[in-house]
Amino acid sequence: MQKPKVHIDKDKVVIHIRNLVKSFGDLHVLRGIDLDLYNRENLVVLGRSGTGKSVLIKIISGLLKPDSGLVNVLGEEVPLLNTRDLDKLRLKIGFSFQNSALYDSMTIRKNLEFPLVRNLRNLTRKEINRSVEQVLDAVGLLHTINQMPAELSGGQRKRVGIARTLILRPEIMLYDEPTAGLDPITCIDINNLINEVQQRYNTSSIIITHDLACAKQTGDRIVMLLDGQFKRQGSFEEVFDTDDERVKTFYDYNFLNQ
Amino acid sequence: MNAGKSPVDNEEADKPVLTRRLDNMFFTLYDVSNFVVRFFKEAFSPPIEFKETVRQCYQVGYRSLGLITLTGFITGMVFTKQSRPSLEDFGATSWLPSLISIAIVRALAPLVTALIAAGKVGSNIGAELGSMRVTEQIDAMEVSATNPFKFLVVTRVLATTFTIPILAMYTGFVGLMGSYLNVHQNEETSLATFFEGAFESISFLDLFSSLIKAILFGFTIGMVGCYQGYNSSKGTEGVGRAANAAVVIAMFLIFIEETIVVQIVAALR
Ligand SMILES: Nc1ncnc2c1ncn2[C@@H]1O[C@H](COP(=O)(O)OP(=O)(O)O)[C@@H](O)[C@H]1O
Ligand SMILES: [Mg+2]
């Protein structure tokens, strides 16, 4: 399925990163990342596993601190924020984790309620229920509302995870390997959901993946992370129109695997 | 721009200050003390997670109650049965209630409770937080603007610290009932006489030091379980290791604390 056209507002930058560096001891993971995410854009970050893709979005959401560099999200300097302001900013960022990170001990309903009741304390029970049902319906899983996460399939868990982040109406979505570990048909469903979210909720997104089908289907723009830096960027065709052996290997390997 | 490896950095980082083992030990000690300090800081700063703490208290009690009842009762009964012959030699079986109650109140009740709770509750906390760490549930909490340390760690440590003393009192009671069963079978003592004998020999200091011990044990179980789980390494084997370490380390510390408190109380007596 072709990606529907979305109007991207290039005058408004929602995430602005300059010369971001991050190491763990001797392991130099990010070595000078520059990135601008435009309003309403789906940006795909491609890279092999272990290249630091997750580290990048964890820095954006303040879960990890960078060693140096500028990380500006919605006008806020993330590494410099105190806990309170960081929490305020986090309400505007939805984070979809690689393995969904649903709370095992809670029902789907409680999972979805969690960010709501913890952050908007003056909501009535009725308002909470309505929000939960609405957002769960948006991902097509209203019937699972009273089930436990363990009873759901991988694709369903992914959808619930995305629903849980949508409940606070974020302006930015960060997807960590949204299609990893899913069968090809479920992958297509998730990719469609990502595009739907972009349109319905007017989100700007960073989608991290090593799955080229996902990149092609969801990305308005693609960057490729190699050796801790963004080496190639542009449309899907532009990124892979190169003689760089590693980029070509990445491409070949992906389609051999399908 | 180039943040490549510098050879000087590598050498410095590789060279241990003392031996590698000692370095690691001091690093862990430092890490643990930070964790404990953070607990006290966050426990006493608002907002307080009252509802979740109560839920955790219930969990601690619910998980260990059955096993504690059984173990406490059998401990009291067997201990009485085994102590009888040596008292019978002196014709002093009427001392049994006071002997047993001293043993139960001073030592057995807090210790048995703590060891069982370390096995049932401590391992559970280690495994639960460990798997939450590994599957990024703790990160998910943090990005939805909830302080996971407060919500997960503070509530659990408070729960064990508060609930285990109550369970220890209960264990003491059940243990005495077990003991009474044995005494009653042999000497046909009435319940009232039994408890009169039992309480006669117990001082305020006994009760107080036992309570302090139980609080200490409870705090230790919660803290060790949370530390292990919260800092669990990635991968499923990390969860198993966290659960296992939670039990082993907690039991080890419980015996050390027992020894120290006994010394202090002996000095006070
Ligand atoms: N908290 C951490 N502590 C130490 N090393 C880490 C940490 N997080 C990630 N790493 C390391 O950084 C590298 C990049 O990790 P990650 O961003 O998860 O890769 P991926 O691109 O597959 O998402 C890996 O080698 C990983 O081991
Ligand atoms: Mg990753």
Side-chain angles (χ1 to χ4, degrees):
Chain A
M1 200 171 113
Q2 208 53 47
K3 183 173 186 339
K5 271 263 167 281
V6 175
H7 173 72
I8 295 162
D9 187 2
K10 284 231 171 192
D11 296 332
K12 194 177 161 198
V13 175
V14 289
I15 298 181
H16 176 75
I17 292 177
R18 283 297 174 271
N19 205 4
L20 170 63
V21 174
K22 174 75 184 172
S23 311
F24 297 101
D26 287 343
L27 185 69
H28 302 282
V29 180
L30 302 179
R31 308 177 176 201
I33 297 275
D34 295 332
L35 178 156
D36 282 310
L37 178 70
Y38 301 111
N39 197 26
R40 301 205 60 197
E41 177 185 35
N42 272 0
L43 175 72
V44 168
V45 177
L46 271 177
R48 294 179 56 175
S49 43
T51 47
K53 304 184 298 296
S54 300
V55 169
L56 173 65
I57 55 172
K58 283 183 179 168
I59 288 173
I60 291 172
S61 61
L63 284 171
L64 289 173
K65 282 237 181 287
D67 297 340
S68 64
L70 194 72
V71 183
N72 190 300
V73 177
L74 297 170
E76 307 277 358
E77 235 359 90
V78 178
L80 304 181
L81 292 178
N82 60 26
T83 318
R84 240 175 101 207
D85 292 338
L86 182 58
D87 277 348
K88 227 187 262 167
L89 177 65
R90 277 169 170 165
L91 300 183
K92 300 180 197 159
I93 306 175
F95 198 127
S96 158
F97 286 88
Q98 181 162 355
N99 35 35
S100 311
L102 300 182
Y103 306 127
D104 289 330
S105 58
M106 305 181 195
T107 61
I108 301 304
R109 182 193 288 280
K110 290 275 175 219
N111 259 282
L112 294 176
E113 270 177 27
F114 192 84
L116 266 190
V117 296
R118 308 266 325 157
N119 291 300
L120 310 169
R121 302 215 177 219
N122 46 5
L123 288 183
T124 64
R125 176 83 334 232
K126 227 170 151 185
E127 288 169 318
I128 293 171
N129 286 346
R130 209 182 43 226
S131 291
V132 169
E133 281 156 24
Q134 192 182 27
V135 79
L136 200 53
D137 198 31
V139 300
L141 286 173
L142 191 52
H143 59 282
T144 64
I145 193 159
N146 291 318
Q147 283 176 281
M148 298 301 281
E151 299 170 56
L152 268 51
S153 71
Q156 289 178 321
R157 291 167 63 94
K158 203 67 127 202
R159 285 169 172 275
V160 173
I162 293 172
R164 187 176 64 184
T165 66
L166 289 176
I167 204 159
L168 288 172
R169 304 288 162 137
E171 294 173 36
I172 295 174
M173 284 293 292
L174 306 172
Y175 297 93
D176 195 352
E177 311 257 7
T179 57
L182 302 178
D183 67 85
I185 296 173
T186 312
C187 283
I188 294 173
D189 287 346
I190 296 291
N191 293 341
N192 288 335
L193 178 61
I194 291 173
N195 289 335
E196 237 176 85
V197 167
Q198 179 191 23
Q199 301 213 303
R200 262 174 70 177
Y201 294 84
N202 289 324
T203 52
S204 326
S205 315
I206 294 182
I207 300 144
I208 274 175
T209 187
H210 56 238
D211 169 13
L212 289 188
C214 170
K216 197 167 184 175
Q217 210 187 334
T218 60
D220 298 309
R221 179 160 61 107
I222 292 170
V223 295
M224 183 134 184
L225 186 59
L226 270 174
D227 297 332
Q229 291 181 329
F230 287 153
K231 287 283 156 74
R232 312 231 8 117
Q233 71 158 306
S235 69
F236 187 84
E237 288 73 20
E238 283 163 359
V239 165
F240 288 100
D241 182 21
T242 171
D243 289 333
D244 188 325
E245 265 316 307
R246 287 175 304 174
V247 180
K248 278 161 91 174
T249 315
F250 190 88
Y251 186 86
D252 294 342
Y253 171 79
N254 240 277
F255 283 101
L256 282 177
N257 251 13
Q258 293 294 313
Chain B
M1 255 300 272
N2 188 3
K5 290 183 187 183
S6 112
V8 180
D9 278 1
N10 285 347
E11 251 171 52
E12 301 238 311
D14 278 353
K15 213 180 273 166
V17 183
L18 301 162
T19 67
R20 188 167 303 285
R21 255 193 120 102
L22 277 175
D23 268 20
N24 279 342
M25 203 183 85
F26 280 113
F27 180 75
T28 309
L29 268 177
Y30 174 75
D31 208 39
V32 169
S33 41
N34 272 347
F35 197 79
V36 176
V37 168
R38 184 168 177 199
F39 166 79
F40 284 107
K41 259 194 211 149
E42 306 229 5
F44 293 108
S45 70
I48 288 163
E49 304 279 359
F50 185 72
K51 229 170 102 184
E52 183 62 16
T53 308
V54 171
R55 207 178 71 82
Q56 290 302 328
C57 286
Y58 174 76
Q59 290 283 325
V60 172
Y62 175 79
R63 268 187 217 132
S64 38
L65 200 61
L67 199 54
I68 277 180
T69 307
L70 189 72
T71 320
F73 193 80
I74 290 177
T75 305
M77 196 171 71
V78 171
F79 194 70
T80 312
K81 192 175 163 64
Q82 304 285 29
S83 311
R84 171 166 288 107
S86 38
L87 286 183
E88 260 169 1
D89 291 346
F90 302 102
T93 46
S94 59
W95 287 0
L96 263 176
S98 65
L99 174 79
I100 301 299
S101 72
I102 285 178
I104 287 181
V105 171
R106 280 192 193 167
L108 290 175
L111 207 55
V112 165
T113 312
L115 292 179
I116 287 180
K120 287 228 66 148
V121 180
S123 66
N124 196 292
I125 292 176
E128 191 181 15
L129 294 197
S131 80
M132 289 187 80
R133 166 63 72 199
V134 168
T135 58
E136 296 177 310
Q137 291 174 52
I138 293 182
D139 287 339
M141 243 173 223
E142 195 164 346
V143 296
S144 59
T146 289
N147 178 345
F149 194 94
K150 214 171 191 137
F151 190 79
L152 300 170
V153 176
V154 173
T155 54
R156 279 168 176 76
V157 176
L158 286 180
T160 53
T161 311
F162 182 73
T163 314
I164 286 176
I166 295 174
L167 286 172
M169 282 187 239
Y170 171 76
T171 311
F173 173 75
V174 174
L176 286 176
M177 291 310 287
S179 172
Y180 171 70
L181 186 74
N182 187 276
V183 171
H184 181 70
Q185 276 174 351
N186 290 278
E187 279 90 24
E188 297 190 348
T189 317
S190 75
L191 194 62
T193 322
F194 175 83
F195 271 102
E196 214 171 279
F199 285 124
E200 216 173 44
S201 45
I202 295 172
S203 66
F204 175 74
L205 184 64
D206 291 332
L207 286 174
F208 184 72
S209 67
S210 267
L211 185 69
I212 295 290
K213 270 197 288 192
I215 291 173
L216 214 58
F217 295 163
F219 180 76
T220 306
I221 291 166
M223 214 59 181
V224 173
C226 286
Y227 178 79
Q228 291 297 334
Y230 202 76
N231 296 307
S232 163
S233 55
K234 286 269 166 187
T236 33
E237 83 277 32
V239 179
R241 220 179 302 134
N244 189 262
V247 180
V248 176
I249 295 173
M251 284 189 178
F252 177 71
L253 290 177
I254 285 167
F255 282 116
I256 290 183
E257 287 163 3
E258 168 78 29
T259 315
I260 293 172
V261 173
V262 165
Q263 301 294 334
I264 294 173
V265 173
L268 288 178
R269 217 182 277 283

